[in-house]
Amino acid sequence: MVGTVYPSWRGRTDDDIASVANRIFERAAAGRVYPEVWHLINAHHNKGHTVVIATAGPPYVAQAAARALDCGHVLSTSLEKRDGVLTGLVDGPVLWRRAKAHAVRKFAETNGIDLKLSFGYCHGSDDVELLSAVGFAGAVNPDRTLAKIAEQKQWPVLTFASRGAVSPVQVGRTFAGYGGFFGAVGLGLTKGAVKRDHRLGVDAAIGMSADVALRIAGVDVNLRGVENVWSRRPAVFIFNHQSQADALVLAKVLRGGFTGITKKEMASSKLFGPILRIADAVFIDRADSASAREALRPVADTLKSGLSIVIAPEGTRSLTPGVGPFKKGAFHIAQQAGVPIVPVIIRNAGELMWKHGRVLRRGTVDVVVEKPIDVARWKKDDFEKNIAEVQRMYRRYLENWPRD
């Protein structure tokens, strides 16, 4: 890194490199973070711990990870800059081995943190000094040398099973699932055409396509709260968005009688655009808030006509198994139309097909459909507080999933 990579950055700004690093993290690195790690870090957050990422590398990818992980601190190798431009040289020590441990000790001293009451997690033998500095050391998927040292020092070892590279079988199942999906859509729409009932055809296509695609891909859906799927219709169904697989899961759970709100880019999709238009989906421009509000106006009429809608209140797919901030749109729509909000909590969809993934892995997606929430009487002053409480409900479920 010091000899070849950093010199190639000479003349670039921090923003230049950070922009590339953000794309690398979002499109490659985030999908490779073990789900257990997300939950482990979240457990430390819930204990009120200060969470720090320490890396021998430069700050850029680490800072992108810190934002996704909600970590407020990054310790990294500093790069020299002149007038805001990188020189290609290192500014100070490379945080490697003893230097990284020293940086951690200095951070703890500056912030009044007792390292003997702190936790540390590393996977390489080069970080033995860092692990020795904390009271509770953990070796994560350790290399051979660290595994021996951990055994000698009686450090616990956390072993997270690799999801592995995508296999040809998984690719084949995914493509077969797509084929089954579009075939089932065609059959459902044909059924509606024969009966001269557009909605009948759309609903048949929704249910059949989800069943077929998920079965071929080897994905099971474990549903709790099925009675809440049908207790109040029409409704605004909200869900935590992690994956392209969410659409199939929601179609299998809700079966029919609904449409969706999606970004306008999907309208030009050669595969899904025509299907979404047939299903009366609402396309909005997320970059233009005024345009988005105008596009949402007909949604209240759709609800009043008896058709439910599905919307992700986060606005976009999350990089983590957690839940991002909820926007107000879904709740305002429900209030204006006089229909309830029905929360749908999805777990594991992001693990089977993460945000930028294209292949659907085999496994089980857990889903809970909660009781309808009447928002008709929500007062303006309490709106944000009530939405925050719904968001907290999602977090509670995802952190402490109900067991039979």
Side-chain angles (χ1 to χ4, degrees):
M1 292 286 285
V2 173
T4 61
V5 176
Y6 299 159
S8 72
W9 292 351
R10 183 178 180 180
R12 308 288 293 275
T13 66
D14 265 346
D15 289 343
D16 290 338
I17 307 300
S19 178
V20 174
N22 286 335
R23 290 198 298 273
I24 290 173
F25 179 77
E26 290 185 5
R27 297 190 174 276
R32 299 175 187 271
V33 177
Y34 292 103
E36 295 92 340
V37 171
W38 296 113
H39 294 300
L40 177 62
I41 291 174
N42 192 54
H44 281 293
H45 282 310
N46 289 340
K47 289 291 185 180
H49 296 170
T50 299
V51 182
V52 183
I53 295 178
T55 176
Y60 309 108
V61 174
Q63 287 171 346
R67 285 190 290 272
L69 293 160
D70 196 23
C71 301
H73 307 277
V74 171
L75 304 179
S76 61
T77 297
S78 297
L79 303 185
E80 185 182 77
K81 291 185 286 289
R82 291 178 184 170
D83 299 325
V85 177
L86 296 170
T87 65
L89 301 176
V90 172
D91 184 13
V94 175
L95 296 198
W96 176 253
R97 293 187 181 272
R98 192 169 298 172
K100 185 189 290 187
H102 175 74
V104 169
R105 290 192 182 96
K106 184 177 179 181
F107 176 89
E109 182 181 349
T110 302
N111 291 275
I113 293 171
D114 187 350
L115 283 181
K116 295 304 177 185
L117 298 177
S118 299
F119 296 76
Y121 303 96
C122 303
H123 74 96
S125 57
D126 50 288
D127 281 327
V128 169
E129 289 95 339
L130 189 156
L131 290 177
S132 299
V134 300
F136 302 95
V140 182
N141 284 9
D143 61 24
R144 187 175 300 176
T145 302
L146 181 58
K148 291 181 180 179
I149 294 172
E151 184 178 6
Q152 293 169 359
K153 293 181 174 290
Q154 297 185 323
W155 290 339
V157 174
L158 304 179
T159 302
F160 301 143
S162 173
R163 274 56 178 177
V166 174
S167 70
V169 173
Q170 290 170 328
V171 174
R173 278 182 170 272
T174 301
F175 277 104
Y178 278 124
F181 171 84
F182 289 110
V185 167
L187 286 174
L189 294 178
T190 299
K191 181 179 179 180
V194 170
K195 297 285 187 178
R196 296 189 177 183
D197 187 331
H198 170 72
R199 196 64 227 177
L200 174 66
V202 171
D203 289 346
I206 287 172
M208 290 171 58
S209 61
D211 289 341
V212 170
L214 292 175
R215 188 181 302 118
I216 293 174
V219 176
D220 296 321
V221 176
N222 179 27
L223 175 62
R224 299 169 64 103
V226 65
E227 67 279 2
N228 297 322
V229 174
W230 300 101
S231 62
R232 294 277 300 275
R233 293 252 191 153
V236 174
F237 290 93
I238 60 173
F239 69 101
N240 52 310
H241 197 8
Q242 293 183 357
S243 167
Q244 288 186 2
D246 293 339
L248 291 174
V249 172
L250 288 164
K252 184 173 181 64
V253 169
L254 302 181
R255 307 308 298 174
F258 70 90
T259 190
I261 298 175
T262 186
K263 57 185 179 181
K264 72 172 186 177
E265 290 84 357
M266 290 299 294
S268 57
S269 169
K270 294 181 180 178
L271 286 177
F272 296 103
I275 295 174
L276 290 169
R277 284 192 289 271
I278 291 173
D280 305 315
V282 177
F283 301 97
I284 61 171
D285 183 357
R286 293 188 305 196
D288 185 350
S289 57
S291 174
R293 284 194 296 269
E294 187 65 29
L296 288 175
R297 292 193 181 196
V299 175
D301 295 331
T302 299
L303 287 162
K304 290 175 182 176
S305 72
L307 196 64
S308 297
I309 65 163
V310 177
I311 187 170
E314 294 165 283
T316 187
R317 284 170 284 176
S318 173
L319 285 173
T320 78
V323 180
F326 282 6
K327 298 180 180 180
K328 301 177 184 178
F331 300 88
H332 280 305
I333 291 168
Q335 190 176 65
Q336 292 168 9
V339 302
I341 288 282
V342 179
V344 180
I345 304 100
I346 302 173
R347 185 178 74 156
N348 294 345
E351 186 173 342
L352 300 187
M353 178 184 270
W354 72 290
K355 179 173 181 176
H356 293 290
R358 292 294 179 266
V359 175
L360 184 57
R361 301 174 185 272
R362 298 185 66 179
T364 299
V365 177
D366 296 316
V367 180
V368 169
V369 181
E370 257 290 349
K371 294 179 180 179
I373 300 173
D374 188 359
V375 298
R377 297 184 179 180
W378 281 12
K379 296 180 180 178
K380 184 177 180 180
D381 292 343
D382 297 331
F383 223 78
E384 290 188 5
K385 180 184 71 175
N386 292 336
I387 292 174
E389 180 55 38
V390 175
Q391 182 188 9
R392 281 192 291 271
M393 178 184 69
Y394 274 76
R395 288 181 173 172
R396 287 195 297 270
Y397 265 112
L398 293 171
E399 292 169 11
N400 302 285
W401 196 262
R403 300 187 182 277
D404 294 330

